[in-house]
Structures are given as C-alpha cells and as structure tokens.
C-alpha cells in the first residue's frame, strides 16, 4: 500500500507515473556495454532526482532506438542526482544489444505503493481492495543525491484483480450488466464506463445503488 490507508471495497490504481524518468538517454561504456545476454544498463538521469530503487520490481522499457520494445524487469538501481548517470541491474537478460540511440523508460511495479483511484486518473487501475489496509510509512531520501536516509515500513495486502468483488458505486450506475470504469465524481468508486473518457474496468453483476457497495465483475 501507499501512504494512505485503504477502506475495503474501493478501486485502487498504481502509484502515479513519473514522466521525468521516461525516454532517458543511455551510454555504453566498456564497463556497461548493454550487450545481449547481460544484465546492466547505464542510464543518464533527467532533471529530477532519482531515489535509490524507486523502480525496483518494476520494468525497464526500451521506448525508441535500437532494441525498441524490450520490456525487462528491474532488480535494483542506483540513486542519481539530476543529470547524473546511474546503473540499472535487471532480472531479465537484455535481448537485443542497445546503443546510444536507445531511449530508456523506467516504470513502477503496478502493484507497489497503490493508492485509492482518484477522480482524475494518474495511472492505471489495478483492482479492488478486499479489506481495510493500513497506510505504509514512506522511506525518506536525500533530496539531492537520492540516497536512502530513513527506511519506511511497508504494509501489504491483497486486491481483487479478476473475478467478482464488492466495490463502491457512484450515482451513474443503475442496471445490471452496465460497463463500469473509474468514477469521475467519487474517489475509489466505479461509475459507468464510456468509450472516449473512462476506460472499462468491469461489469455490474447486480442492480447497484449510489454510495453503496455492490457486486461487480472485474
């Protein structure tokens, strides 16, 4: 869980995406050649400090250039001051050798530091909470170097990602069988999905009542 406690039966989303750590440049010195079969890449940070292991358990994506489309799990990474280089160590071996044209995007694990789905989405929804979950205590970091200064205390729990769940409902839903998506009116609730603005998350499995929880199929 993230830094805010979760009630039972609310829609949750991934931690808000960090656009400053997308499409970063990389270099290929002899110590980190980014060769197929190896597990380390040297990346150049942007203007935002990178905290150590911010993306641990998440993914390195080659967004453009040589090796485009590779999607590799991150084992760990160094902290980095603004514009500094840092090493990303991967769980998955590099498939296609990278070069200076390759642009690197770092992505959080979608199930790490989840939050109640806000009325304006900042990341994708990942499921519905099964029971109340206490807030995690966030670690603290050096604001310039990104090194860890105080360890936090993480709180873990389960969410329903597929199947039936009880979820908070907003006033737009009435009938069984309606397509459901993130509510634009009530954080953590489901409302009627639309083709253009609210992507579908599930289906109403019963007649639903505003401000009540109801059975949905995720």
């Amino acid at each position: 869980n993230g830094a805010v406690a979760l009630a039972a039966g609310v829609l949750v989303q991934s931690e808000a995406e960090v656009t400053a750590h997308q499409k970063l440049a990389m270099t290929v010195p002899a110590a980190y050649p980014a060769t197929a079969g190896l597990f380390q890449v040297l990346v150049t940070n942007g203007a935002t400090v990178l905290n150590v292991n911010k993306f641990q358990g998440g993914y390195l994506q080659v967004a453009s250039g040589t090796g485009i489309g590779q999607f590799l799990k991150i084992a760990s990474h160094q902290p980095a001051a603004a514009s500094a280089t840092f090493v990303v160590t991967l769980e998955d071996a590099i498939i296609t050798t990278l070069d200076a044209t390759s642009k690197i995007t770092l992505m959080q694990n979608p199930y790490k530091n989840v939050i109640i789905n806000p009325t304006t989405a900042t990341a994708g929804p990942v499921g519905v909470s099964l029971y109340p979950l206490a807030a995690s205590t966030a670690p603290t970091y050096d604001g310039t170097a990104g090194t860890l200064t105080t360890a936090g205390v993480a709180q873990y729990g389960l969410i329903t990602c597929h199947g039936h769940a009880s979820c908070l409902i907003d006033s737009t839903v009435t009938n069984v069988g309606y397509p459901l998506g993130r509510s634009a009116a009530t954080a953590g609730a489901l409302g009627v999905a639309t083709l253009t603005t609210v992507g579908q998350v599930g289906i109403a499995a019963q007649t639903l009542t505003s401000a009540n929880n109801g059975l949905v199929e995720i």
Side-chain angles (χ1 to χ4, degrees), residues 93-182:
I94 297 166
I95 300 166
T96 301
T97 298
L98 307 180
D99 61 26
T101 70
S102 307
K103 297 295 184 182
I104 301 300
T105 289
L106 303 179
M107 303 174 65
Q108 300 101 314
N109 183 314
Y111 301 103
K112 181 179 179 181
N113 298 329
V114 298
I115 63 173
I116 297 171
N117 208 112
T119 54
T120 299
T122 56
V126 293
V128 176
S129 57
L130 281 168
Y131 43 75
L133 185 59
S136 295
T137 302
T140 59
Y141 300 89
D142 181 281
T144 300
T147 53
L148 181 68
T149 55
T150 306
V153 178
Q155 299 288 340
Y156 297 91
L158 298 174
I159 60 174
T160 301
C161 301
H162 183 71
H164 287 90
S166 170
C167 191
L168 184 64
I169 303 300
D170 77 8
S171 60
T172 63
V173 184
T174 55
N175 294 336
V176 66
Y178 269 26
L180 304 176
R182 167 191 53 81

Side-chain angles (χ1 to χ4, degrees), residues 69-92:
Q70 292 182 80
F71 192 64
L72 308 170
K73 193 167 186 181
I74 297 170
S76 63
H77 64 76
Q78 296 174 327
S83 302
T85 58
F86 61 97
V87 176
V88 180
T89 300
L90 303 166
E91 290 188 21
D92 305 316

Side-chain angles (χ1 to χ4, degrees), residues 172-198:
T172 63
V173 184
T174 55
N175 294 336
V176 66
Y178 269 26
L180 304 176
R182 167 191 53 81
S183 171
T186 304
L190 287 169
V192 173
T194 63
L195 291 175
T196 56
T197 58
V198 179

